Amino acid sequence: MKYNYLIVGAGFTGAVIAREIAEKCNQPVLVIDRRNHISGNAFDHNDNSGILIHEYGPHIFHTNAPQVWNFLSKFTEWIPYEHRVLGQVDKKLIPIPFNFTSIETLFSTKEATIIKKHLLEEHGNNVKVPILNLMESKNRFVKELADYIYKNVFYNYTKKMWDLEPQELDPQVLSRVPIQIGYDDRYFNDKHQAMPKEGYTKMFQQILNHPNIEVKLSTQFKDVSNPNEFKKIIYTGPIDEFFDYRHGELPYRSIQFEFITHDTEYKQKVGTMNFPGFEFKHTRMTEFKHLTFQKNPKTTLCREYPEAYNSKKNLPYYPIPTQENKVLLQKYRAEAEKIKERIAFVGRLADYQYFNMDQAVARGLQFFQKEIL
Ligand code: FAD
Ligand code: UDP
C-alpha cells in the first residue's frame, strides 16, 4: 500500500493523529515506533505474576477536557479511580497534596488549629495554592508553614527528581502539586479521573485498529528508506535528535524503574507513596493494584529513581522546563519551521513540553483539526 502519511511514534500523540487521519480523511497511514510495542510511555502489560504493570512508571488518567474524554471513550470503558498519595515526612505519613490532615498529623492540636484558621482567613476553604505563592504570605503563621512544606515536601524531592534548585524550574512544575486549603486528599481534581478498564495497551490497540492504519514496530525513523514519498511526516520523537543535535542536546530527565513483587495481597495503603527525603534515593513507590482494582494474591510495586538522560543508557522521559532549555528549544523550532510543509513536530518530546496524557491527546486532536483537516 502507498501511504500518504508517516507517523513516527505510537504513543498518545501519534496514535490519536493516525486514527483521525484514517477515519476522517480516509487516507492510508503508516505508524512506526522504534520500541517493540505500541502505547509509548503508557505501555502496560502483565508481569510474571499476572499483575498489570506500567513498564514506564505509573500512569494515572485525569482530564477536564470533554473532547479528550469523548475521543478516548470511543476506544475503552473506564474504571473510576481517584489517585491518593501519602508522603513520608518527619517519620510520619501525610497526605500529598499537603492538606489540613497533613497539618493535623505533623503539629499539635493547638498549633494546627491556629495554622488552619490563618490559612482559611487568607485563602478561603477548598482552594488550591501553589507552594511558591504560599511562601509569599505576609502572615507569620502561613509563611512559617509554607517554609516548612517547601523544605520538607518540595525541596529534596525536586532536587532528586530534576537535579536542579526549584527556582531554576518553571514555577508550573511545583504548581502541579498545590497546597490544599481544606481536607480534599485527591492528587488531582479533574472532572474525569479513571483508568482504561482493560489497560492502556488494549485501548491503543483499539485506537490503531483501522483498515487505513498499518503499524510497524522496532522501526526507527532513520530506517525509513523513502521518507520523501510521504505527503506528510508527523514526528513525535525528540526534536533535537531529529536534527542530529546540531544546536546541542536538549536535556531530559530519565528514571530507573524498579519492580518488586510481594507474596501478599496489598503492601501500601494508597496508590503511591512519596519519599521527599534524601535518606531515600527514590522519589515514589506505586502499587499497581490500587490503580487497576485487579484481584491477585500477589502485588507488584514500582520504585522510581530519577537520573540524567544518556542516549546510550536510558530513555528521555521528562523535558526539563528551564529558561535556558527554552532558548535552545527555540533554535530547533526555527529549524522545524523551515520544513513545516513536509514534517510536523508534535508531542511531549517533539514539542519538548511537560504534557500529561490528556494534553498529548488534546495536542494530537488540535493538530489534526488545524493542520490536516
Ligand atoms: P511518548 O509516549 O513518549 O511516545 C513517543 C513514541 O515515539 C515512543 O513510543 C518512542 O519510542 C517513539 N519514537 C521516538 N523517536 C522515534 C524515532 N526516531 N523512530 C521511531 N519511533 C520513535 N501523564 C498523565 O497524564 N498521568 C500520569 O500519571 C503520567 N505519569 C507519567 C509517569 C512517567 C514516569 C512519565 C515518563 C510520564 C508520565 N505521564 C503521565 C506523561 C505521559 O507519559 C505522556 O503525556 C505521554 O506518554 C505523551 O505521549 P507522546 O505520544 O507525546 O509521547
Ligand atoms: N513535587 C515535590 N514533592 C512531592 C510531589 C511533587 O517536590 O511530594 C514536585 C517535584 O518537583 C515534581 C513536581 O512537583 O517533579 C511535579 O510532581 P508530579 O507528581 O506532578 O510529577 P510527575 O507525576 O509528572 O512525575
Side-chain angles (χ1 to χ4, degrees), residues 12-13 33-35 41 58-60 221 348 355-357:
F12 270 102
T13 311
D33 202 298
R34 61 181 163 203
R35 301 186 196 179
N41 285 340
H59 277 67
I60 297 128
F221 177 59
R348 176 150 151 145
F355 289 152
N356 293 328
M357 290 182 280

Side-chain angles (χ1 to χ4, degrees), residues 58 60 85 87 96-97 131 149-150 152-159 161-162 166 169 172-177 187-188 255 274-276 283-284 304 318 348 354-356:
I60 297 128
V85 174
I96 291 181
I131 180 63
I149 301 172
Y150 180 76
N152 290 286
V153 177
F154 286 95
Y155 185 79
N156 294 342
Y157 188 114
T158 300
K159 285 283 280 187
M161 175 62 207
W162 302 97
L169 288 161
Q172 287 299 322
V173 175
L174 267 57
S175 301
R176 288 169 63 90
V177 189
Y187 208 65
F188 309 108
I255 297 191
N274 279 9
F275 297 90
T283 48
R284 57 188 176 191
E304 297 179 48
Y318 288 78
R348 176 150 151 145
Y354 191 169
F355 289 152
N356 293 328

Side-chain angles (χ1 to χ4, degrees), residues 60-64 176 188-190 192-194 356-359:
I60 297 128
F61 188 80
H62 54 101
T63 191
N64 281 319
R176 288 169 63 90
F188 309 108
N189 63 349
D190 301 57
H192 304 287
Q193 304 188 38
N356 293 328
M357 290 182 280
D358 65 323
Q359 293 169 306

Side-chain angles (χ1 to χ4, degrees), residues 191-237:
K191 177 164 182 217
H192 304 287
Q193 304 188 38
M195 299 292 284
K197 195 169 176 189
E198 293 182 73
Y200 289 100
T201 303
K202 286 269 160 53
M203 178 176 79
F204 272 82
Q205 282 166 358
Q206 292 304 317
I207 298 174
L208 294 166
N209 180 16
H210 189 282
N212 282 335
I213 300 178
E214 185 175 346
V215 180
K216 277 192 188 157
L217 298 175
S218 308
T219 306
Q220 289 264 11
F221 177 59
K222 282 193 176 126
D223 301 337
V224 176
S225 55
N226 57 342
N228 292 330
E229 286 176 17
F230 296 91
K231 183 170 135 194
K232 185 117 189 175
I233 296 171
I234 293 135
Y235 181 89
T236 76

